[in-house]
């Protein structure tokens, strides 16, 4: 007779493909049922935070509902940083966990519902009679609000017989937010402004990608003659790259950012306009009319002069309709611009004055090698948080927003890089997975180096930016005169660590050492190992976005 855990596993299996996690007392019966009675693939990771991170990355790369599992107690509390990141990043995810018995907490128990609530995740606790229905409610919550939901199975209920698994109803999901009559009036007014604009700019974020607005935004850019740009998480939304300025904010090229500041009308679709995107308030000039289109309750930056609350695709389509009137013409602005020159970036010397690699030259050369081989041209880039964050965004092109993910940045966390790899690899089984991580975050996530190597063998590449320090702290607080010793890390042999778990580890001290990457990229994936490049970079080269942070904090 099916157990409560089987009711959860079989109901959840109708909506997911993969589950990531670590087995323990609290989820053993759930995993047993998942293995025996469903076709869902389970991937073991080595740390509970890694299970949530892998599921998070799986969603970002596939768009599908994510699922992870952990045991109760310490297993659950280990997930909290990753859970907070998924909440902040609006990732629909179901985390199946064990929980205290229905009789109450044991001596080692903690209030898991309160802990989940503290990071923004709601908990649904299953019972013997409602396990399937409660599972559907948790799925519905995750998909409707684009946040993680915790599905808790009390320890004394997990193995109870619950009868045949009932046919559970499908989750009821909300329709895209359509423009209200007031929003339609604002759309008509915005269309008139775009039609009269001489220097229009369109900017899109990850929200525009989620809304499926790319094609409509491409038509809108053509209709208005606008140049385009994206947030870091929206790269590739616009279909015509020849008129795209790249990423806005500190990851952007200086010439491109100066052009955006010269816009007379700027419309932002599906982007939260955080301080980094906005260059800490300097992205637009005071004379730019800035209109934001999003589903948040209100505008998210004080420089927004007009706000339209509606689905990005629906608004873009209505703007195209408004601008299709006879006699409407594009501005012609973008055709007179040298977009390639505006996007150009300065590269450094091969080596910095301290004799270590200049990260700009290193990033540029890695990007060239990845673009040269067909196998690595089709890639997903996953990046941890840290000072090095800008290099991949600045020098490694990606095809679309689901090919670039920064797991950890929503919550300003580091240490989530290595477990992102198995999630992205299983979501994109034909793509090369490229991880960008620092030495500080890499050490935090070391438990799941093995997971990355095991799951992404043949398709996985890790670039470790090894400056023997917490670079962001050195740049911000070291420059203010604070004690540097706590900011330093004894130089770690990541290449040796990689070899210990079955990868090929290579120490990179000169650009010539990257020939191993070129050779690897030309080798058939079926015969090559996971490759880790331990890149010994200079800590003296400060990324432009970090320079902006230093300026603001000074």
């Amino acid at each position: 007779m099916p157990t409560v855990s089987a009711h959860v596993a079989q109901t959840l299996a109708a909506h997911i493909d993969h589950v990531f996690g670590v087995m323990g007392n609290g989820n053993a019966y759930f995993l047993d049922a998942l293995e025996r009675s469903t076709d869902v693939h389970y991937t073991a990771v080595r740390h509970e935070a890694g299970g949530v991170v892998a599921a998070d990355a799986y969603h970002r790369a596939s768009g599908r509902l994510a699922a992870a599992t952990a045991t109760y107690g310490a297993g659950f509390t280990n997930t909290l940083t990753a859970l907070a990141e998924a909440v902040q990043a609006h990732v629909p995810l179901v985390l199946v966990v064990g929980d205290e018995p229905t009789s109450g907490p044991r001596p080692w128990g903690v209030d898991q519902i309160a802990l989940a609530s503290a990071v923004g995740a709601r908990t649904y606790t299953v019972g013997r009679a409602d396990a399937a229905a409660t599972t559907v409610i948790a799925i519905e919550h995750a998909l409707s609000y684009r946040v993680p939901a915790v599905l808790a199975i009390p320890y004394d209920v997990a193995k109870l017989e619950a009868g045949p698994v009932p046919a559970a109803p499908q989750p009821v999901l909300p329709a895209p937010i359509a423009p209200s009559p007031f929003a339609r009036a604002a759309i008509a007014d915005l269309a008139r402004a775009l039609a009269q604009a001489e220097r229009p700019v369109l900017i899109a974020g990850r929200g525009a990608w989620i809304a499926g607005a790319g094609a409509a935004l491409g038509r809108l850019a053509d209709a208005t003659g606008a140049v385009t740009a994206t947030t870091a998480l929206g790269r590739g939304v616009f279909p015509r790259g020849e008129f795209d300025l790249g990423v806005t904010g500190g990851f952007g090229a200086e010439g491109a950012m100066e052009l955006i500041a010269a816009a007379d009308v700027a419309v932002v679709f599906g982007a939260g306009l955080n301080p980094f995107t906005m260059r800490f308030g300097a992205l637009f000039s005071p004379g730019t009319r800035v209109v934001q289109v999003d589903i948040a309750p209100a505008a998210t930056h004080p420089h927004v002069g007009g706000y339209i609350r509606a689905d990005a695709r629906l608004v873009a389509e209505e703007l195209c309709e408004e601008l299709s009137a006879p006699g409407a013409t594009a501005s012609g602005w973008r055709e007179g611009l040298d977009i390639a020159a505006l996007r150009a970036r300065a590269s450094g010397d091969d080596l910095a004055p301290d004799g270590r690699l200049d990260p700009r030259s290193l990033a540029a050369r890695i990007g060239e090698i990845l673009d040269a081989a067909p196998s690595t041209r089709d890639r997903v880039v996953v990046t941890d948080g840290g000072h090095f964050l800008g290099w991949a965004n600045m020098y490694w092109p990606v095809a679309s927003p689901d090919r670039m993910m920064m797991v950890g940045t929503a919550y300003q966390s580091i240490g989530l890089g290595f477990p992102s790899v198995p999630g992205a690899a299983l979501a994109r089984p034909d793509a090369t997975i490229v991880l960008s991580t620092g030495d500080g975050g890499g050490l935090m996530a070391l438990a799941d180096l093995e997971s990355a190597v095991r799951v992404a063998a043949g398709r996985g590449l890790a670039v470790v930016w090894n400056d023997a320090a917490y670079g962001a702290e050195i740049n911000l607080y070291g420059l203010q005169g604070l004690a540097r010793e706590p900011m330093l890390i004894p130089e770690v042999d990541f290449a040796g660590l990689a070899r210990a778990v079955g990868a090929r580890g290579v120490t990179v001290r000169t650009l010539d050492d990257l020939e191993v990457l070129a050779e690897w990229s030309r080798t058939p994936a079926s015969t090559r190992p996971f490759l880790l490049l331990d890149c010994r970079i200079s800590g003296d080269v400060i990324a432009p976005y970090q320079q902006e942070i230093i300026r603001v904090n000074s």
Side-chain angles (χ1 to χ4, degrees):
M1 188 69 71
T3 64
V4 168
S5 293
H7 280 224
V8 173
Q10 292 182 37
T11 304
L12 183 60
H15 304 277
I16 62 170
D17 302 302
H18 289 74
V19 173
F20 302 85
V22 179
M23 195 205 77
N25 289 353
N27 63 346
Y29 293 101
F30 166 74
L31 283 172
D32 176 74
L34 194 75
E35 289 282 314
R36 293 178 185 274
S37 61
T38 77
D39 294 326
V40 171
H41 180 76
Y42 170 68
T43 297
V45 296
R46 304 308 175 205
H47 191 283
E48 288 88 356
V52 176
V53 170
D56 181 334
Y58 181 83
H59 165 75
R60 296 195 204 201
S62 70
R64 296 192 287 274
L65 176 67
T69 185
T71 188
Y72 49 61
F76 172 74
T77 55
N78 273 348
T79 71
L80 287 175
T81 294
L83 193 62
E85 163 66 18
V87 169
Q88 301 267 356
H90 303 290
V91 172
L93 183 154
V94 176
L95 173 60
V96 181
V97 298
D99 202 355
E100 65 187 32
T102 56
S103 57
R106 291 161 292 188
W108 57 87
V110 295
D111 190 341
Q112 295 186 184
I113 294 176
L115 288 168
S117 178
V119 299
R122 184 166 181 172
T123 299
Y124 294 90
T125 303
V126 306
R128 187 174 190 178
D130 66 354
T134 301
T135 300
V136 172
I137 293 171
I139 294 168
E140 192 172 88
H141 181 90
L143 291 172
S144 296
Y145 298 102
R146 300 195 63 82
V147 291
V150 177
L151 190 60
I153 307 176
Y155 184 64
D156 58 342
V157 169
K159 62 180 179 180
L160 294 180
E161 291 185 358
V165 179
Q170 290 294 310
V172 178
L173 305 180
I177 297 177
S180 69
F182 292 94
R184 285 199 166 89
I187 290 170
D189 180 65
L190 176 57
R192 288 190 291 271
L194 285 169
Q196 297 167 8
E198 297 178 353
R199 300 178 303 282
V201 171
L202 304 181
I203 297 174
R206 182 166 170 256
W209 171 258
I210 291 169
L217 289 174
R219 295 195 302 273
L220 181 61
D222 289 344
T224 58
V227 295
T228 63
T230 68
T231 67
L233 294 179
R235 293 170 66 192
V237 167
F238 291 99
R240 299 189 66 176
E242 69 268 31
F243 298 119
D244 194 80
L245 295 170
V247 179
T248 64
F251 296 159
E254 189 60 33
M257 297 307 99
E258 290 175 359
L259 189 73
I260 290 175
D264 52 3
V265 178
V267 189
V268 183
F269 294 85
L273 298 180
N274 64 41
F276 305 104
T277 296
M278 290 293 288
R279 304 189 81 189
F280 298 92
L283 181 64
F284 302 114
S285 66
T288 304
R289 177 179 177 179
V290 182
V291 178
Q292 184 182 18
V293 178
D294 204 272
I295 59 173
T300 58
H301 196 277
H303 291 181
V304 172
Y307 184 70
I308 299 173
R309 184 173 188 257
D311 179 83
R313 177 181 60 82
L314 297 179
V315 173
E317 289 174 346
E318 290 205 16
L319 284 169
C320 289
E321 184 67 25
E322 291 278 349
L323 290 163
S324 65
T329 59
S331 67
W333 182 40
R334 64 187 188 180
E335 283 75 16
L337 299 171
D338 188 346
I339 299 294
L342 291 168
R343 291 186 58 163
R345 302 180 184 281
S347 59
D349 298 322
D350 290 2
L351 299 178
D354 62 2
R356 294 172 71 96
L357 282 162
D358 187 312
R360 296 168 295 184
S361 303
L362 177 68
R365 180 62 183 135
I366 290 174
E368 292 168 0
I369 293 172
L370 293 176
D371 281 342
S375 66
T376 50
R377 208 174 295 140
D378 177 17
R379 62 180 175 266
V380 176
V381 176
V382 296
T383 181
D384 199 358
H387 172 222
F388 63 89
L389 191 62
W391 307 130
N393 277 283
M394 293 169 67
Y395 292 96
W396 300 352
V398 293
S400 56
D402 57 347
R403 298 302 183 99
M404 177 73 196
M405 59 201 69
M406 298 187 290
V407 181
T409 55
Y411 188 50
Q412 301 293 292
S413 170
I414 69 171
L416 306 182
F418 281 122
S420 300
V421 173
L426 290 170
R428 293 286 181 179
D430 297 324
T432 296
I433 310 302
V434 184
L435 168 66
S436 178
T437 187
D439 50 338
L443 288 171
M444 284 188 188
L446 203 57
D448 280 306
L449 169 59
E450 185 277 334
S451 302
V453 172
R454 168 170 40 90
V455 176
R459 297 189 294 119
L461 165 67
V463 178
V464 180
W465 306 87
N466 190 346
D467 61 356
Y470 294 105
E473 284 69 24
I474 286 282
N475 294 333
L476 183 56
Y477 299 108
L479 293 177
Q480 294 180 24
L482 275 67
R484 292 171 62 92
E485 194 61 31
M487 307 172 195
L488 302 178
I489 301 171
E491 191 161 72
V492 173
D493 181 8
F494 280 92
L497 292 170
R499 290 191 289 270
V501 293
R504 183 179 182 187
V506 177
T507 302
V508 178
R509 291 189 172 89
T510 70
L511 295 185
D512 290 341
D513 293 333
L514 290 176
E515 179 56 35
V516 69
L517 173 60
E519 175 191 345
W520 182 86
S521 68
R522 295 190 295 264
T523 304
S526 59
T527 62
R528 67 191 184 195
F530 189 103
L531 177 62
L532 184 144
L533 302 178
D534 181 359
C535 302
R536 306 301 172 86
I537 64 166
S538 172
D540 294 339
V541 180
I542 302 177
Y545 89 96
Q546 281 272 299
Q547 292 172 345
E548 288 188 351
I549 296 172
I550 293 167
R551 172 180 55 81
V552 170
N553 282 276
S554 298

